[in-house]
């Protein structure tokens, strides 16, 4: 009898049946097993012998409590055990279904007709389950440190066989093995082993955790110690030195002159740091944090030198004019000195809301920052500038929490680090440009805390997380305009206004301060270059249009650098310079400017300094940038020159008007365009209605008023000072309707009401200076602003005619030539 060879396409149980000797064993055997059978019972002995004799060495075996399912096994040989018993080795091959059992015959052997079962084709879901099983088995192998299991995984490919082998390897009990045996379907078998594997894996993992915990608890300190030793050894090996980071921090901490609370907190963090794995992200944060903490200038402070006479002379030496400003600053310093002398330095002694923050308000380039520097110098303290323009986020002031990616301390902390002392003068620059962030917390609130003497001795930066005492810091703020400073901050401020300089002041500042500085910076000697006042005046008029001196300083710098370069390249000597030389003398022009220092001394013999004439200016500085267009723009009707205060100081603005007839049913009305705030829109409406209601006095016919009017304020000046253009708009409309041009020498400012009264406005000094700067000689101001003229420098007033108008008639009288 022979068994047909199986093919993979054969479904389970479809193999041809065979007749084999049958034996029953007490234990369940599974395919893949190799079992040693002692031929102790007659049944077994008979069956084995029959197998060797009759059936090419094959035998059917049943096992355990069930007898309907058997396995087919091969018996390669029979031999004797060391004990003398005879035994057979059997190799179990596959499952078999018992079809029929014969009665014992022929020397006692029982025969059975069995049908070997061949594992069928595996479906994809079984394949997937097998992959899962393999993964679980790999983990089990690892946790049990098994050698046999990885070998099985490597050598056994078929899922059914794998399941059987695992059941054998895992030393299942008989019941479990029986269940596996009965799982004829490969899918069932894999599933059964899979569920066992998962449970087993769980058990193993739990056991592992417990073991780890126990051993960690017992020997953590010893282990850490050993690991540290190893780490140090590795570092040494790598040539990284024996840097004991924590040790260094501890030494630094011992020397730290910080408040006790800070030291305790740092020590705690340091402990945490020491225990932490270097791989942990927190390790990096804490390290950066520690560095920051140790970078703080704890305990460093400058001793105040509060000598008021000295302060006055420093302020005088650094700045021309500004007498009232300097006086206010000295008063401020005197108050501090007094409090200091009387020992009233603690925050609680400071009256709340005493406006302790000196705030310098004025257009760019009027010296706000440099006054701040002088104050620091006068007090003998460090100076730091913190730019607040565009700050929208509380975190910029107060820092981000450490857990943020890329978190940093806020600007106040950085300023202290930069200063290197805990009591510097901090200039809060452009505090009016600080936004109030709706999303990320309000920087104003943080700033309030910084400035409030009742709170700022325990200022807490989110990043540093320790209390900082800011009560010794002197805060000075700057702003271009006061109206945009958030109200709560304004309450704490002591405003000092700087309105800008007249031309003659600028000439003086340039000659005495700006130019010598530029000359020095360029590496020239003071006696090598002289620039006349007239020339500076030309630069101011032609190349700058500003209330301060910032552009002037820049242009002078350019001029000086050009001169230096020419001297350095030998194109310029002490002889009076001519334009020809400048443009034609190019034989050495490719020499580089960096030769400056070397060549200056050699080429310029001491003696008369180089002077630059008015003619040369254009060649040095290029075309004049400022186009004096007042004359030109006001030459036609319907245009009037107004005055406004903008973020850059006072400025002139032009109001343009036009009108066109409307159809019979169209509504006559008003169109507004340009840089008009809401308040200016109202001004325009009032202006138009004033003109309408006074048509007969102004000599205007009905026809003229039945038109649509268009008022335009061209870009350029964006007024910050609210209403002040009423009289200008009215005048432009009157000019349009009467056909009389406004005098080009006149600029005006003031609001008007429906009765034609002229209402007072702000910013008189800035506006008058702006008009003066633009070459305007007559200014119309509201009569009630008369007292403000006191602020305007006398030399400016001397050069101008000021008309103080109480009613619009008086404005008109000044604005138009007598008919
Ligand atoms: P702000 O801070 O108001 O914009 P800065 O302080 O930057 O202006 O001043 C611009 C430059 O003008 C600085 O170099 C400053 O020293 C100089 N400056 C301004 N006003 C005066 C003055 N009254 N006397 C001397 N130099 C001045």
């Amino acid at each position: 009898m022979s068994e047909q060879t199986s093919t993979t396409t054969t479904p389970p149980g479809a193999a041809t049946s065979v007749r084999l000797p049958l034996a029953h064993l007490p234990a369940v055997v599974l395919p893949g097993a190799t079992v040693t059978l002692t031929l102790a019972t007659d049944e077994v002995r008979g069956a084995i012998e029959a197998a060797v004799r009759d059936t090419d060495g094959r035998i059917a075996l049943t096992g355990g409590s069930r007898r309907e399912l058997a396995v087919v096994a091969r018996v390669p040989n029979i031999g004797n055990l060391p004990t003398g018993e005879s035994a057979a080795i059997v190799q179990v091959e596959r499952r078999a279904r018992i079809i029929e059992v014969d009665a014992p015959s022929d020397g006692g052997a029982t025969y059975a007709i069995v049908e070997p079962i061949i594992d069928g084709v595996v479906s994809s879901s079984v394949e997937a389950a097998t992959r899962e099983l393999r993964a679980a088995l790999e983990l089990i192998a690892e946790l049990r440190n098994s050698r046999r299991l990885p070998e099985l995984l490597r050598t056994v490919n078929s899922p059914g066989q794998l399941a059987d082998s695992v059941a054998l390897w895992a030393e299942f009990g008989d019941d479990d093995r029986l269940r596996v045996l009965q799982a004829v379907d490969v899918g069932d078998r894999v599933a059964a082993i899979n569920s066992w594997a998962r449970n087993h894996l769980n058990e193993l993992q739990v056991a592992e955790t417990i073991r780890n915990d126990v051993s960690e608890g017992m020997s953590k300190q010893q282990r850490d110690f050993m690991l540290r030793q190893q780490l140090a050894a590795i570092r040494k090996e790598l040539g990284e030195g024996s840097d004991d980071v924590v040790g260094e921090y501890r030494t630094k901490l011992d020397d730290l002159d910080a408040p006790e609370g800070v030291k305790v907190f740092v020590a705690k963090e340091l402990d945490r740091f020491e225990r932490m794995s270097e791989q942990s992200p927190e390790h990096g944060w804490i390290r950066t944090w520690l560095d920051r903490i140790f970078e703080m200038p704890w305990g460093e402070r400058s001793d105040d030198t509060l000598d008021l006479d000295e302060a006055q002379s420093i302020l005088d030496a650094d700045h021309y004019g500004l007498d009232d400003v300097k006086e206010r600053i000295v008063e401020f310093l005197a108050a501090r000195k007094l409090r200091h002398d009387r020992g009233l330095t603690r925050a609680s002694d400071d009256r709340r809301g005493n406006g302790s923050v000196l705030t310098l308000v004025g257009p760019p380039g009027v010296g706000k920052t440099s006054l701040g520097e002088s104050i620091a110098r006068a007090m003998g303290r460090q100076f730091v500038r913190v730019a607040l323009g565009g700050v929208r986020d509380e975190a910029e002031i107060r820092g981000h929490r450490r857990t943020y990616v890329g978190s940093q301390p806020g600007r106040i902390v950085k300023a202290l680090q930069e200063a290197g002392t805990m009591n510097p003068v901090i200039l809060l620059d452009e505090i009016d440009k600080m936004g109030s962030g709706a999303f990320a917390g309000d920087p104003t609130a943080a700033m309030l805390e910084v400035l409030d003497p009742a709170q700022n001795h325990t200022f807490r930066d989110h990043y540093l997380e320790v209390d900082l005492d800011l009560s010794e810091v002197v805060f000075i703020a700057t702003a271009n305009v006061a109206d945009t400073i958030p109200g709560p901050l304004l309450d704490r401020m002591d405003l000092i206004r700087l309105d800008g300089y007249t031309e003659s002041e600028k000439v003086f500042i340039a000659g005495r301060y700006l130019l010598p500085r530029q000359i020095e910076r360029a590496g020239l000697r003071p006696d090598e270059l002289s620039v006349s006042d007239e020339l500076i005046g030309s630069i101011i008029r032609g190349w700058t249009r500003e209330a301060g001196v910032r552009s002037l300083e820049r242009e002078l710098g350019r001029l000086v650098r050009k001169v230096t370069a020419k001297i350095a390249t030998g194109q310029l000597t002490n002889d009076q310079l001519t334009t020809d030389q400048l443009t034609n003398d190019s034989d050495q022009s490719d020499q580089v400017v960096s030769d400056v220092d070397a060549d200056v001394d050699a080429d310029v013999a001491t003696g008369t300094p180089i002077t630059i004439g008015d003619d040369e200016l254009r060649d040095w500085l290029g075309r004049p940038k400022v186009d004096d267009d007042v004359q030109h723009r006001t030459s036609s009707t319907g245009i009037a020159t107004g005055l406004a205060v903008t973020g850059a100081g006072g400025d002139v603005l032009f109001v343009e008007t036009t009108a066109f007839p409307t159809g019979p049913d169209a509504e006559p009305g008003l169109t507004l365009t340009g840089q008009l705030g809401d308040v200016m829109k109202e001004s325009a409406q009032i202006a138009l209605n004033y003109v309408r209601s006074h048509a007969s006095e102004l000599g205007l016919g009905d026809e003229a008023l039945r038109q649509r009017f268009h008022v335009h304020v061209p870009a350029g000046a964006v007024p910050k000072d609210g209403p002040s253009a009423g009289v200008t708009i009215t005048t432009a409309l009157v000019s349009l309707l009467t056909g009389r041009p406004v005098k080009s020498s006149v600029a005006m400012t003031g609001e008007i009401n429906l009765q034609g009264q002229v209402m007072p406005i702000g910013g008189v000094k800035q506006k008058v200076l702006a008009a003066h700067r633009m070459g305007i000689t007559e200014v119309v101001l509201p009569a009630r602003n008369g007292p403000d003229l006191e602020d305007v420098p006398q030399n400016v007033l001397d050069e101008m005619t000021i008309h103080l108008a109480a009613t619009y008639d008086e404005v008109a009288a000044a604005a138009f030539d007598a008919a």
Side-chain angles (χ1 to χ4, degrees):
M1 278 183 227
S2 70
E3 177 197 329
Q4 222 168 357
T5 36
S6 64
T7 67
T8 46
T9 50
T10 318
T16 319
S17 50
V18 285
R19 188 163 181 273
L20 295 176
L22 173 75
H24 182 77
L25 305 177
V28 181
V29 284
L30 287 171
T34 304
V35 203
T36 310
L37 287 183
T38 51
L39 309 184
T41 63
D42 287 345
E43 190 198 358
V44 174
R45 176 184 292 276
I48 296 282
E49 281 171 2
V52 176
R53 192 178 60 237
D54 295 336
T55 60
D56 63 0
R58 284 197 296 170
I59 186 174
L61 296 169
T62 54
S65 57
R66 308 291 288 265
R67 295 184 182 230
E68 63 280 0
L69 210 54
V71 290
V72 177
R74 197 171 283 281
V75 190
N77 53 26
I78 302 175
N80 285 331
L81 294 177
T83 54
E85 283 176 289
S86 56
I89 311 249
V90 298
Q91 292 166 342
V92 185
E93 286 182 345
R94 57 175 53 93
R95 286 171 180 72
R97 208 165 278 127
I98 293 179
I99 309 286
E100 195 181 307
V101 180
D102 288 354
S105 63
D106 307 338
T110 307
Y111 275 82
I113 299 185
V114 299
E115 194 181 75
I117 305 170
I118 294 153
D119 290 347
V121 178
V122 231
S123 67
S124 59
S125 69
V126 174
E127 269 175 9
T130 310
R131 277 197 293 278
E132 204 179 298
L133 175 62
R134 282 179 173 275
L137 291 173
E138 258 154 32
L139 286 175
I140 291 175
E142 200 174 297
L143 287 170
R144 285 182 53 160
N145 217 352
S146 161
R147 288 190 197 192
R148 175 80 185 120
L149 192 53
E151 193 185 316
L152 280 180
L153 286 167
R154 223 176 23 252
T155 51
V156 182
N157 285 324
S158 110
Q161 276 176 21
L162 181 68
D164 286 334
S165 315
V166 172
L168 285 169
W169 169 79
E171 291 147 8
F172 278 17
D174 262 351
D175 288 349
D176 289 333
R177 285 211 176 140
L178 191 65
R179 235 168 274 139
V180 176
L181 182 71
Q182 285 175 329
V184 173
D185 180 75
V186 177
D188 291 349
R189 213 179 309 156
V190 170
I193 300 296
N194 230 342
S195 96
W196 165 81
R198 272 197 296 269
N199 287 339
H200 190 51
L201 193 56
N202 271 343
E203 284 165 19
L204 290 174
Q205 278 166 341
V206 170
E208 167 89 356
T209 323
I210 293 171
R211 197 168 51 241
N212 284 350
D213 284 353
V214 171
S215 69
E216 208 170 336
M218 282 192 322
S219 61
K220 173 156 181 29
Q221 278 181 326
Q222 294 162 333
R223 233 179 39 150
D224 283 4
F225 176 74
M226 273 179 47
L227 287 174
R228 277 213 193 94
Q229 298 288 93
Q230 285 172 1
L231 194 66
I234 292 170
R235 286 232 173 91
K236 210 166 151 195
E237 197 64 26
L238 288 173
E240 287 180 359
S242 56
D243 61 338
D244 169 16
V245 180
V246 177
E248 271 174 30
Y249 281 133
R250 287 208 192 286
T251 323
K252 277 195 204 167
L253 179 60
D254 288 341
D255 299 341
L256 200 64
D257 190 8
E260 206 42 46
V262 174
K263 291 185 80 162
V264 169
F265 188 68
V266 175
K268 240 166 64 191
E269 291 293 293
L270 201 47
D271 285 344
R272 223 152 66 80
F273 178 70
E274 191 171 23
R275 284 196 305 270
M276 204 164 277
S277 144
E278 272 189 46
Q279 263 64 49
S280 135
E282 236 187 317
H283 187 273
W285 303 336
I286 299 198
R287 188 156 182 182
T288 330
W289 178 84
L290 284 166
D291 287 340
R292 291 281 190 183
I293 283 275
F294 288 118
E295 277 166 20
M296 288 299 288
W298 301 107
E300 297 289 334
R301 54 191 308 288
S302 319
D303 289 329
D304 271 350
T305 53
L306 263 183
D307 179 336
L308 296 179
D309 290 338
E310 173 76 11
Q312 179 75 52
S313 48
I314 287 175
L315 288 172
D316 284 340
D318 292 350
H319 295 92
Y320 167 73
L322 302 175
D323 291 338
D324 44 345
V325 175
K326 291 176 191 165
E327 194 182 313
R328 292 277 299 279
I329 292 175
V330 173
E331 279 166 18
F332 167 84
L333 294 178
R336 279 193 77 92
K337 183 174 161 60
L338 193 70
R339 278 213 312 277
H340 183 264
D341 290 350
R342 300 197 168 167
L344 303 176
T345 45
R346 290 208 345 268
S348 48
D349 302 324
D350 207 341
R351 275 177 300 120
R352 276 181 62 88
N354 64 354
S356 56
V357 182
L358 205 57
T359 303
L360 304 166
V361 184
V366 291
K368 299 183 297 296
T369 314
S370 64
L371 275 169
E373 264 173 283
S374 297
I375 294 174
R377 208 148 73 82
M379 297 179 83
R381 296 195 184 195
Q382 295 297 319
F383 174 81
V384 211
R385 175 174 164 268
V386 175
L388 293 179
V391 167
R392 302 227 163 301
D393 186 347
E394 188 196 7
E396 292 199 50
I397 308 292
R398 211 195 251 291
H400 281 291
R401 301 207 179 276
R402 260 191 280 169
T403 42
Y404 259 64
V405 176
S407 57
Q408 285 189 339
R411 297 192 183 206
I412 300 296
V413 166
K414 285 191 194 157
L416 291 176
Q417 284 179 348
E418 193 186 320
T421 61
M422 294 300 271
N423 66 342
V425 172
I426 295 185
L427 183 89
L428 303 168
D429 210 2
E430 302 202 309
I431 204 162
D432 56 330
K433 302 235 171 59
M434 195 171 69
S436 59
F439 304 108
D442 193 346
T444 312
M447 198 39 87
L448 256 183
E449 202 184 312
V450 170
L451 298 181
D452 183 358
Q455 297 183 55
N456 70 8
H457 59 287
T458 54
F459 174 76
R460 191 168 269 248
D461 182 273
H462 285 329
Y463 181 85
L464 288 192
E465 285 185 72
V466 294
D467 285 345
L468 292 176
D469 185 357
L470 301 181
S471 62
E472 282 208 84
V473 177
V474 174
F475 290 103
I476 296 175
T478 79
N480 286 148
V481 282
D483 342 354
T484 50
I485 300 177
L489 286 177
L490 203 55
D491 283 351
R492 303 232 161 278
M493 292 176 165
D494 197 352
L495 298 189
I496 299 184
R497 289 181 198 278
L498 293 89
D499 288 323
Y501 300 112
T502 65
E503 189 180 314
S504 55
E505 282 172 327
K506 287 183 189 176
V507 169
F508 191 87
I509 292 172
R512 169 105 179 269
Y513 299 88
L514 309 180
L515 196 59
R517 243 194 333 249
Q518 296 297 339
I519 288 178
E520 193 190 324
R521 224 172 265 173
L524 294 180
R525 282 195 316 270
D527 58 2
E528 281 173 342
L529 176 68
S530 107
V531 179
S532 69
D533 287 355
E534 292 70 45
L535 193 88
I536 295 175
S538 307
I539 297 175
I540 293 170
R541 284 186 301 273
W543 281 267
T544 70
R545 177 183 175 173
E546 57 177 353
V549 292
R550 190 169 285 174
S551 321
L552 177 59
E553 188 173 29
R554 200 167 44 232
E555 296 301 333
L556 288 172
R558 245 147 63 93
L559 190 69
V560 172
R561 280 196 304 279
K562 290 247 157 106
V563 174
T564 316
K566 297 280 178 190
I567 292 176
T569 54
Q571 294 176 50
L572 203 60
T573 64
N574 286 26
D575 300 322
Q576 180 67 41
L577 159 85
T578 69
T579 314
D580 282 357
Q581 265 175 309
L582 267 179
T583 43
N584 300 339
D585 187 2
S586 57
D587 50 345
Q588 292 186 58
S589 59
D590 50 359
Q591 223 173 315
V592 282
V593 183
S594 58
D595 286 343
V596 171
D597 291 342
D599 289 1
V600 166
D601 290 338
D603 284 348
V604 182
T606 45
T608 40
I610 289 166
T611 35
I612 301 167
D614 223 353
D615 296 344
E616 280 86 28
L617 261 190
R618 247 171 194 270
D619 294 298
W620 298 99
L621 297 182
R623 269 193 307 121
K625 290 175 189 163
V626 178
D627 183 12
D628 239 341
D629 56 359
V630 179
Q631 288 271 329
H632 167 72
R633 294 190 67 159
T634 51
S635 55
S636 44
T637 59
I639 299 180
T641 311
L643 295 169
V645 177
T646 72
D651 204 352
V652 296
L653 58 79
F654 299 97
V655 174
E656 300 174 356
T657 55
T658 184
F660 32 90
T662 49
D665 21 74
E667 178 86 348
L670 181 62
T671 307
L672 300 164
T673 52
Q675 309 284 328
L676 292 154
D678 278 342
V679 188
M680 266 174 89
K681 285 178 189 159
E682 281 173 19
S683 303
Q685 201 67 55
I686 293 171
L688 182 60
N689 289 342
Y690 172 80
V691 173
R692 283 199 175 122
S693 58
H694 293 75
S696 57
E697 292 150 51
L698 295 164
L700 305 173
D702 251 10
E703 198 49 35
L705 291 171
R706 286 201 58 81
Q707 301 193 78
R708 188 161 185 91
F709 294 94
H710 183 166
V711 175
H712 177 63
V713 180
V718 183
K720 288 260 163 83
D721 65 333
S724 74
V727 294
T728 321
I729 300 171
T730 312
T731 306
L733 286 170
V734 171
S735 160
L736 179 77
L737 292 171
T738 57
R740 294 158 69 193
V742 181
K743 285 199 289 189
S744 64
S745 56
V746 177
M748 62 204 73
T749 179
E751 211 36 71
I752 185 172
N753 67 10
L754 287 170
Q755 285 75 46
Q757 284 163 336
V758 177
M759 315 299 286
I761 42 76
V764 169
K765 180 178 172 191
Q766 300 202 35
K767 288 173 177 176
V768 174
L769 288 182
H772 182 247
R773 199 155 63 231
M774 296 297 287
I776 289 164
T777 53
E778 293 179 60
V779 171
V780 184
L781 294 175
R784 279 158 64 185
N785 281 115
D788 296 333
L789 285 171
E790 250 177 50
D791 298 340
V792 182
Q794 192 54 47
N795 62 335
V796 171
L797 291 180
D798 291 347
E799 289 173 27
M800 302 189 96
T801 312
I802 306 286
H803 305 275
L804 293 175
T807 63
Y808 185 72
D809 296 341
E810 291 168 28
V811 177
F816 297 101
D817 281 321

